[in-house]
Amino acid sequence: MTREPLLAFFFPRRCPFCNRVLPYNAPQAAFCAACAETEKRLRHEPPRLPKTEHDFYVLHGAAAAYYYTEEVRRTILACKEYRHPWYARELADRMLVCLWGAEPPRHPGGRPTLEPSALPRYDLIVPVPPREPDSHDPELPRMLARRLGEVMALPVREVLELTRKIQPQKTLDREHRLQNTKNAYAVRKGEDVEGLRILLVDDVITTGGTVSACAQALVRAGSAEVFAVCIAASETLPKEKQSK
Ligand SMILES: [Zn+2]
């Protein structure tokens, strides 16, 4: 976090969809003019995820800022695999705008403003833990959670851990994804989540198996409720959202 001003100096804010350096008057202070239309089209509206598209259990609900299309996938890959971790901040800010109606910053690099009354009452933000604990990849859920916590003024704690090895979800079909993650998470020893309302953060929700398994671990440990949020949800793209 302390490195942020330094990073911003060396890496001017860029459009997360195309990597162009953003002008001072960029739309939403987040995108270049060329990507602004696409960004609007790909918003998940309303953000709440329909149960018909996912296999949720235990979770109180879930929401996404965008549909998981090729454009959004590339942006997420840029964070995770091509080491552009500063996009995590841009994407977390978009979650604040799309999910809770935060006011976008005036200029790139600013901070969205959130009406405290607009915020459902959460006690704690928890990122979905890394699937490969030893990996050196920047962990997107963790980075998103930190930025959300900063703007929402909520604590962030990495209370979850994997209890066994799981396969990468993308290699599995729907049925096996649920099996793959079921009972695979637990609350770490010494972490107390009793009675807490938790905001669980992941980068992408596909079947919902991972966030549901995390929610189950949290509720077993005494959490009052768990709501999951992500950048993008993998769903059938509504007709009006498809590109012409
Ligand atoms: Zn762009």
Side-chain angles (χ1 to χ4, degrees), residues 34-86:
C35 293
E37 272 305 305
T38 310
E39 186 271 336
K40 238 192 213 155
R41 177 171 60 81
L42 297 179
R43 281 191 209 169
H44 198 291
E45 294 162 316
R48 188 87 176 211
L49 303 190
K51 289 201 172 117
T52 45
E53 293 267 350
H54 307 275
D55 300 312
F56 294 136
Y57 56 94
V58 182
L59 266 187
H60 192 72
Y66 296 104
Y67 286 98
Y68 191 49
T69 60
E70 186 50 34
E71 297 89 338
V72 179
R73 194 182 72 88
R74 275 200 310 263
T75 304
I76 291 173
L77 275 183
C79 289
K80 288 166 71 147
E81 288 177 25
Y82 303 120
R83 311 294 168 111
H84 298 167
W86 52 94

Side-chain angles (χ1 to χ4, degrees), residues 98-204:
C98 296
L99 305 184
W100 295 286
E103 193 66 38
R106 282 164 173 243
H107 305 292
R111 171 202 282 249
T113 34
L114 195 62
E115 273 297 318
S117 59
L119 194 60
R121 289 191 301 162
Y122 305 112
D123 302 304
L124 178 66
I125 299 180
V126 174
V128 167
R131 280 143 188 108
E132 288 155 64
D134 308 324
S135 130
H136 293 293
D137 287 346
E139 271 303 322
L140 191 47
R142 176 189 292 153
M143 293 189 288
L144 294 170
R146 283 185 188 161
R147 176 65 172 180
L148 293 177
E150 204 181 297
V151 179
M152 290 171 152
L154 283 175
V156 179
R157 267 160 51 203
E158 295 174 32
V159 303
L160 289 168
E161 65 182 356
L162 269 174
T163 55
R164 59 174 166 80
K165 216 172 151 42
I166 56 171
Q167 305 291 320
Q169 288 283 79
K170 59 186 165 201
T171 62
L172 304 170
D173 63 20
R174 195 164 178 151
E175 187 67 20
H176 289 98
R177 283 179 179 215
L178 275 184
Q179 292 307 324
N180 187 37
T181 50
K182 203 143 203 177
N183 300 317
Y185 295 91
V187 169
R188 290 174 194 275
K189 257 203 181 100
E191 291 285 0
D192 184 7
V193 294
E194 185 74 42
L196 300 185
R197 289 158 303 193
I198 302 218
L199 185 65
L200 181 66
V201 181
D202 205 354
D203 48 4
V204 179

Side-chain angles (χ1 to χ4, degrees), residues 1-11 85 143 146:
M1 212 98 69
T2 49
R3 289 190 314 162
E4 200 179 273
L6 201 62
L7 283 174
F9 179 77
F10 285 110
F11 304 103
M143 293 189 288
R146 283 185 188 161

Side-chain angles (χ1 to χ4, degrees), residues 15 17-18 20 32 35:
C15 172
F17 280 0
C18 71
R20 279 196 193 99
C32 73
C35 293

Side-chain angles (χ1 to χ4, degrees), residues 226-242:
V226 183
F227 193 88
V229 291
C230 63
I231 300 163
S234 175
E235 290 176 9
T236 319
L237 198 63
K239 268 210 185 78
E240 71 275 14
K241 298 273 180 189
Q242 287 165 17

